[in-house]
Amino acid sequence: LTVSDGSLTSTDDVTVKVSNPGASRTVSVPITVSSDDAQEGGLNTTGGQSVRIDSPDDELGSDGTDPMLTGFRFPNIPIPYGSQVDSAKIQFGADEVNASPAAFTITGEAADNAATYRTTANSISTRPKVGSVAWAPPAWNTVKESGAAQLTPELKTIAQAVVDRAGWRRGNAMAFMVS
């Protein structure tokens, strides 16, 4: 790539990837800002469930004895409206060891473009939901583990329901909740 404004010229390498229309492709969307993952649990001073968006890690299921609903928002999904979703999974990483069995329910947010999370009480649990997938992962025995044990089961029915929404557009955000 060479760019010139008439007096200055600059050159750099550019890679262009071309996909055949309709061909399957893999998309990986990380969470990069604190307002794209949040935890709801524990009573706040106004009597509702408090929501935290500033935690350095997210608890799944509970934080000690306090039940948690955890939301994960994936921004800028490069999938157009009506595309076929072949697979959708979330890969977690363990930051603590826990040998206790766990059982979670994962739901999607029924939204055309999921909003970032706010600290408003009950602001995760009041979001409209779509689909439900049970997940009973094995114990997480190693700190910093990010493998098969931390990979959710197939969530494509939830993702497909969102991508099929009339208001869904390429570049929108999709969110999931784990309880």
Side-chain angles (χ1 to χ4, degrees):
L1 171 69
T2 302
V3 178
S4 175
D5 67 1
S7 60
L8 298 174
T9 301
S10 182
T11 303
D12 201 355
D13 292 330
V14 175
T15 301
V16 177
K17 183 178 179 182
V18 179
S19 298
N20 292 329
S24 290
R25 60 190 175 123
T26 300
V27 175
S28 179
V29 180
I31 292 175
T32 58
V33 297
S34 65
S35 60
D36 281 342
D37 60 335
Q39 302 175 124
E40 180 179 306
L43 291 178
N44 68 18
T45 56
T46 60
Q49 294 291 315
S50 66
V51 174
R52 288 193 61 191
I53 61 171
D54 61 350
S55 179
D57 69 344
D58 292 305
E59 305 299 332
L60 297 180
S62 69
D63 187 8
T65 60
D66 190 16
M68 289 287 181
L69 173 62
T70 307
F72 300 96
R73 177 183 177 269
F74 299 92
N76 303 315
I77 303 288
I79 300 173
Y81 164 76
S83 294
Q84 178 180 326
V85 177
D86 295 327
S87 182
K89 297 180 181 183
I90 301 173
Q91 178 69 63
F92 290 99
D95 72 338
E96 299 170 6
V97 172
N98 189 344
S100 300
F104 303 111
T105 299
I106 302 171
T107 56
E109 182 177 338
D112 297 336
N113 189 15
T116 58
Y117 295 107
R118 304 281 181 239
T119 56
T120 308
N122 303 313
S123 61
I124 302 174
S125 58
T126 57
R127 291 180 180 220
K129 295 170 183 55
V130 62
S132 178
V133 173
W135 181 31
W140 294 3
N141 296 315
T142 307
V143 175
K144 303 295 182 199
E145 185 176 18
S146 183
Q150 294 79 29
L151 183 64
T152 68
E154 190 57 68
L155 305 174
K156 73 180 179 180
T157 57
I158 296 171
Q160 189 69 61
V162 175
V163 170
D164 287 344
R165 293 176 60 85
W168 175 264
R169 298 291 176 265
R170 177 193 315 254
N172 282 5
M174 185 179 297
F176 295 85
M177 292 160 263
V178 179
S179 59

